[in-house]
Amino acid sequence: MRLRLLPALLALELASALAQAAEVRVTARETVQLDFPGAVAAFAVDPSTAEVSLADGRLQVRGRRAGQTMVSVVMPTGVETLTILVDPSLSFLAAQHAAGARNATIADVSYDTGLRRFSTGVSANFEDGERKARLRLEAVRQDRPEYAGRTWSLPYASVAIETPRSRLVLLDEFVQASPLTIDGATVRGVHLYQSPFELHAGTVSRSPLDDVLFAQNGDRVASAAWRTKTGSLTLTPRAVWLPDSGTKIPGVIALEAARGEADDALQIRGELAWSHRFAAAVDIDYRTVQRQAWLKAALRPAGFAALSMARTAGSYAEGAWNEQLSDRASVTLSGSASRLDVGGRHPQAASGRIDMRYQATQSLGFNAAASAGSFRDAAQSLRRTTLSLGTIYEQPNWSAAATYRFQRTSAAQRGGHGGRVSLRASQGGWRANVFADAQQQAPTIDLVLRDRADLSRAATELGLASATPDDLIRQLRGNSALLTARGVTLGALNLSPMRVQAGLDLSWRAAAGKPEFGVRVVGDRAEAVASGRTSFVASAFAKWQIGRDTEMSVTYSRWNARLPVTGSESRGSVLLTLRTTFGAPSWPGSGSRPISGVVMRDGDAADAPLQGVDVVLDRGRRTQTDAQGRFVFESPGPGAHRVEAQLPQGRPAYFTSPSVVTLTPGSDARFSMSFAASRLSGVVQNDAGSPLAGVTVRAEGAMDTSTVTDSSGAYRFSTPAGVVRISLVPESLPAGHDLSQLTTQERSVTQDSPATADFSVRAQRAIQGTVSGAAARPVTITIPEIQRSAQVDATGQFTLRSLPAGALTLILRSDQRESRNVITLAPEPGVTRVQLAAP
């Protein structure tokens, strides 16, 4: 079988061999976004644990079920790998996870001596009221011996302008308009979203690293769609023009139907299309707390108009079902089947798997799995079955996991044993990961590279040359943006008597913000009857902060490969990277317009201007009103600004208008105040005596007004004499404070008798912990300082809520024995997690 494909596509399944990977933590059913300007594809090794999608340079990661998987993001200049940790939704409902989307400007530059490639990128968001703009740019300068020099290219460039009613994108847009036509392709051109219309027109490049502004070798495409909603059903007719598809009819007419909102448990999407032949696709997703299931299927025959980099023609179906049987046990069923149409050949692959997990204790877990797969084309076929048993033991600073596998294939009379052992540890600033994996009778397909040093390096680093055939077919049709003919062939099936992989990742960082140093080593050896394949990669890296927002890294890598077809290869390189983050910008020039206003005295027959009143911009810049009561702040800068007028010192006065307003450059404000008022003041703090700044305090009486507490928690009012009701605005309190006990206070104020009203708000503090040895005997925990008790459950877990700040004594009692532990809670709200031992 010979298929011409980009090797990075094949790298994705084995990307987990890269030990150094950024960690992203999500909760089941939670979605986070991460910026990856210029990324062209993303792939999750285990989509039943976390699914990923890529759109317009932003990676969306959604947790499906508790577990861990790897995600590879393919950039124009390489492959970046993430470790996705998915927490159970029931155990982490109160956790707050930061979404990766940021409004800051990110710029980075890098140079790779091995590839002789210089790349630079920028990602920036601009805002001005309801208008938003986004800029993404990736530029590469590459040594090109075939051109006898260096060439510049723009593998990704995009400018997006957005208003509440429309969105316009110039140049690159990652389009997932239709599962049968434009699905996961970066189109360089013009894109318009103006509900209910959606338009795309441009070209799709086969070789982004060769393009400066317009694709030298690409497919032209134009698409128009109109969306209408009838009840819960959304219908989208679509017309697509593909003049370079080479098919009898260079276009597609399609109708998409979708049902279900973003928060609905069940969502269904289907499409039917015609282009000389009919094609169809369906996507079903069902999610509850205890159950998640999904199914995707498509049929697109040869002769159906498509991009040259579109999903391979043929048919496929895949899906998974995850059931949370209890708090400790879960089961997952997954399967896939594909029949591709590649140049008249029809390789077929199918696989199925059942995965059972049981968490015996908080630290000890077990898993068992059974899977079967098959591969067949005109020249060869293979069937394989695999059984595995594994366990994992986790502690806060270390964990160990071991898995045993037995695999039998139709290519051998006897089965093969195998397994994997991994260890993770951290102490102080040290972090270490090590793994070893071996398998007898491992069926593989050799990958052969031609005249592409960068792709050869990627294949060596990721151990591409031996991938199981049925998994390989699933990858080939999954990332359509990477399908291209660039000097790659797949050889015949091999049965390796033994394949061994091993890796080490070791790093050290003294503290957050301090330099980090580390090494990574990955080795892979696949034996064959007459020859073998060996690859070895070693890297040493250093990363450090330059200031608060800039990071620099240096990595030296050395890789060696010995392949049975292409022979031996050895290379080395140094990669230098500099990344910096700027504050959120706005529209060019928008911050140069002034903010102005007037302060008037209220109550006269004709409002009189007030001179000499202090006005503060963003709690910093100050000015005073002139004889006409006017004030001006020149060039305040882009974005929204806080403008506050202050009462005159030494004169009883009160505002008859809000004293604080939010304005954008070019706006005006009007403040009004009256004199001969009474004074009211107070302090807002939590139950530990810590001041609460930025809390809105409301006064209601002869005049309704509000103010905000300062950094010491203090507030002050000038108000007409009489009875005043004072309250706190709940929405303005910091997160983690008890709102159920908020009260309204009444004070009678006169000009000669100032009044005071203080507020104390309870912070929500809790202790969550684990008591080892509690399963064997009952354990009770008592806090004598507040006369509070809790019973440890059968799993050793306990929770104590509504606790005061300071030192608390935890007395553990069991079988006439007891032990004492002193825990100190901070004044701020939060959850303190502890590990204790039963007495």
Side-chain angles (χ1 to χ4, degrees):
M1 179 182 69
R2 298 174 67 85
L3 302 177
R4 297 173 59 81
L5 296 159
L6 186 66
L9 174 62
L10 313 181
L12 298 175
E13 180 71 18
L14 297 173
S16 59
L18 285 177
Q20 178 67 20
E23 288 187 356
V24 178
R25 198 170 203 112
V26 299
T27 300
R29 294 181 62 84
E30 179 196 18
T31 299
V32 298
Q33 292 187 5
L34 305 172
D35 278 337
F36 279 91
V40 294
F43 176 81
V45 172
D46 181 8
S48 64
T49 298
E51 62 178 4
V52 296
S53 61
L54 190 68
D56 204 17
R58 287 194 173 185
L59 176 72
Q60 291 192 355
V61 181
R62 182 176 179 88
R64 283 190 173 274
R65 62 179 175 87
Q68 176 176 326
T69 186
M70 304 292 291
V71 169
S72 291
V73 183
V74 182
M75 310 290 290
T77 56
V79 179
E80 296 191 26
T81 306
L82 307 174
T83 299
I84 308 298
L85 304 173
V86 182
D87 293 322
S89 57
L90 291 178
S91 303
F92 292 84
L93 284 177
Q96 299 295 323
H97 297 285
R102 293 168 292 179
N103 285 333
T105 299
I106 304 172
D108 59 62
V109 295
S110 64
Y111 181 73
D112 192 309
T113 62
L115 301 179
R116 296 183 180 179
R117 177 181 293 168
F118 171 83
S119 63
T120 182
V122 64
S123 171
N125 293 340
F126 302 83
E127 295 188 10
D128 183 20
E130 294 185 331
R131 293 186 303 168
K132 297 180 181 180
R134 186 169 70 249
L135 170 67
R136 302 286 190 271
L137 180 65
E138 181 91 12
V140 174
R141 189 183 188 187
Q142 175 76 61
D143 277 354
R144 304 297 292 271
E146 64 271 31
Y147 297 138
R150 299 180 176 91
T151 61
W152 278 98
S153 63
L154 288 175
Y156 193 86
S158 176
V159 177
I161 302 172
E162 184 176 346
T163 69
R165 291 170 295 278
S166 64
R167 180 167 175 263
L168 174 66
V169 181
L170 304 177
L171 298 179
D172 291 337
E173 172 82 332
F174 189 83
V175 180
Q176 291 180 300
S178 159
L180 293 172
T181 54
I182 312 177
D183 181 23
T186 299
V187 180
R188 178 162 293 185
V190 179
H191 314 270
L192 177 63
Y193 303 85
Q194 187 164 5
S195 184
F197 300 102
E198 179 178 330
L199 301 173
H200 303 277
T203 60
V204 178
S205 177
R206 299 188 183 101
S207 52
L209 290 178
D210 294 338
D211 303 332
V212 179
L213 187 59
F214 298 104
Q216 300 180 14
N217 183 18
D219 291 358
R220 293 168 293 171
V221 60
S223 171
W226 178 70
R227 184 174 287 104
T228 182
K229 189 168 185 178
T230 304
S232 60
L233 185 65
T234 301
L235 298 176
T236 307
R238 179 178 289 106
V240 183
W241 180 60
L242 300 163
D244 302 313
S245 60
T247 55
K248 186 175 182 179
I249 297 179
V252 178
I253 299 296
L255 177 64
E256 178 189 302
R259 185 167 187 171
E261 302 296 336
D263 296 330
D264 291 347
L266 178 63
Q267 299 178 28
I268 303 176
R269 178 187 180 191
E271 186 176 51
L272 181 65
W274 178 83
S275 171
H276 181 60
R277 295 182 178 181
F278 279 101
V282 64
D283 186 346
I284 302 174
D285 196 312
Y286 177 75
R287 303 177 187 176
T288 65
V289 174
Q290 298 292 332
R291 181 179 300 120
Q292 297 91 40
W294 58 274
L295 172 68
K296 294 183 179 181
L299 168 63
R300 187 174 66 82
F304 186 91
L307 297 168
S308 60
M309 293 187 299
R311 190 185 302 273
T312 307
S315 59
Y316 79 93
E318 64 179 351
W321 182 290
N322 172 252
E323 187 80 17
Q324 193 71 32
L325 302 177
S326 67
D327 291 342
R328 299 187 180 186
S330 67
V331 61
T332 300
L333 299 173
S334 59
S336 66
S338 301
R339 184 180 187 274
L340 306 184
D341 190 336
V342 184
R345 294 180 177 272
H346 301 279
Q348 302 177 42
S351 64
R353 179 183 175 92
I354 179 172
D355 193 323
M356 294 168 287
R357 302 186 182 189
Y358 179 74
Q359 195 71 28
T361 67
Q362 185 181 17
S363 301
L364 182 62
F366 300 93
N367 60 79
S371 63
S374 66
F375 168 80
R376 183 177 64 186
D377 71 354
Q380 50 202 347
S381 64
L382 177 79
R383 298 185 305 278
R384 69 179 176 100
T385 57
T386 304
L387 300 175
S388 66
L389 295 172
T391 183
I392 182 170
Y393 187 79
E394 295 183 291
Q395 289 294 314
N397 293 331
W398 67 276
S399 68
T403 300
Y404 165 77
R405 289 190 304 264
F406 178 79
Q407 183 171 276
R408 181 183 294 275
T409 71
S410 59
Q413 294 182 353
R414 59 187 180 88
H417 301 279
R420 182 183 182 92
V421 178
S422 61
L423 178 66
R424 172 194 62 83
S426 62
Q427 182 64 42
W430 290 95
R431 295 183 60 187
N433 295 275
V434 62
F435 78 92
D437 193 298
Q439 180 65 53
Q440 294 177 325
Q441 307 298 325
T444 64
I445 290 183
D446 281 338
L447 177 66
V448 182
L449 306 174
R450 297 177 180 175
D451 302 326
R452 289 297 302 274
D454 54 345
L455 301 184
S456 176
R457 169 183 171 180
T460 303
E461 288 181 336
L462 300 174
L464 296 188
S466 51
T468 58
D470 46 328
D471 286 342
L472 185 59
I473 294 298
R474 178 169 57 86
Q475 296 174 49
L476 298 188
R477 56 120 184 110
N479 284 268
S480 57
L482 294 178
L483 297 180
T484 183
R486 293 305 296 268
V488 182
T489 60
L490 294 176
L493 283 169
N494 291 322
L495 191 66
S496 299
M498 175 64 76
R499 184 187 183 193
V500 179
Q501 293 176 296
L504 167 68
D505 173 19
L506 180 65
S507 65
W508 176 78
R509 172 177 283 181
K514 298 294 184 179
E516 180 181 6
F517 307 93
V519 294
R520 301 188 297 269
V521 179
V522 177
D524 187 351
R525 168 67 181 174
E527 299 179 358
V529 176
S531 62
R533 185 191 65 80
T534 303
S535 64
F536 178 81
V537 184
S539 299
F541 69 90
K543 296 191 295 187
W544 60 92
Q545 293 288 128
I546 303 175
R548 187 182 66 177
D549 301 320
T550 303
E551 181 182 83
M552 184 175 183
S553 65
V554 179
T555 302
Y556 173 76
S557 299
R558 188 76 189 178
W559 64 100
N560 296 275
R562 186 165 62 249
L563 306 177
V565 178
T566 58
S568 299
E569 182 180 13
S570 179
R571 290 179 177 269
S573 73
V574 175
L575 176 64
L576 304 173
T577 302
L578 182 69
R579 171 170 291 188
T580 187
T581 303
F582 305 96
S586 187
W587 289 79
S590 62
S592 61
R593 292 175 290 174
I595 287 178
S596 58
V598 63
V599 181
M600 306 297 290
R601 177 170 180 165
D602 197 5
D604 296 335
D607 290 347
L610 287 173
Q611 183 178 6
V613 176
D614 288 335
V615 184
V616 183
L617 177 71
D618 295 332
R619 305 181 189 269
R621 292 175 58 183
R622 287 177 174 269
T623 189
Q624 285 190 334
T625 56
D626 59 17
Q628 286 74 43
R630 296 199 61 81
F631 66 90
V632 177
F633 290 103
E634 299 288 351
S635 301
H641 297 270
R642 181 183 189 270
V643 182
E644 178 184 9
Q646 297 185 336
L647 294 171
Q649 297 292 326
R651 299 179 63 188
Y654 61 93
F655 282 104
T656 58
S657 69
S659 61
V660 179
V661 295
T662 300
L663 299 175
T664 56
S667 302
D668 290 307
R670 178 187 174 91
F671 298 100
S672 299
M673 65 179 66
S674 186
F675 291 88
S678 302
R679 300 279 184 174
L680 175 65
S681 62
V683 175
V684 181
Q685 59 188 14
N686 68 12
D687 57 321
S690 296
L692 298 180
V695 177
T696 301
V697 184
R698 180 177 296 278
E700 298 174 312
M703 180 197 70
D704 294 345
T705 185
S706 62
T707 189
V708 178
T709 58
D710 60 20
S711 59
S712 64
Y715 71 91
R716 299 170 186 82
F717 283 115
S718 290
T719 181
V723 176
V724 180
R725 293 179 300 276
I726 312 99
S727 60
L728 306 182
V729 176
E731 294 80 5
S732 66
L733 285 165
H737 288 82
D738 187 0
L739 305 182
S740 63
Q741 303 299 319
L742 295 182
T743 59
T744 299
Q745 302 186 39
E746 284 192 358
R747 296 291 186 272
S748 179
V749 296
T750 65
Q751 183 175 352
D752 299 328
S753 178
T756 301
D758 297 332
F759 290 86
S760 178
V761 185
R762 175 178 290 276
Q764 296 174 328
R765 307 180 193 88
I767 297 177
Q768 289 184 353
T770 303
V771 180
S772 59
R777 54 190 182 276
V779 177
T780 301
I781 298 180
T782 302
I783 303 179
E785 290 89 348
I786 58 174
Q787 299 299 310
R788 183 80 57 79
S789 297
Q791 189 72 32
V792 179
D793 64 20
T795 64
Q797 308 292 317
F798 73 91
T799 301
L800 292 160
R801 297 184 174 87
S802 301
L803 303 178
L808 299 177
T809 304
L810 271 61
I811 303 177
L812 279 68
R813 292 189 175 92
S814 173
D815 297 336
Q816 307 303 318
R817 292 176 292 178
E818 70 175 41
S819 63
R820 293 172 177 259
N821 299 269
V822 177
I823 307 298
T824 301
L825 301 187
E828 297 78 17
V831 177
T832 301
R833 292 178 170 82
V834 298
Q835 287 192 328
L836 307 173

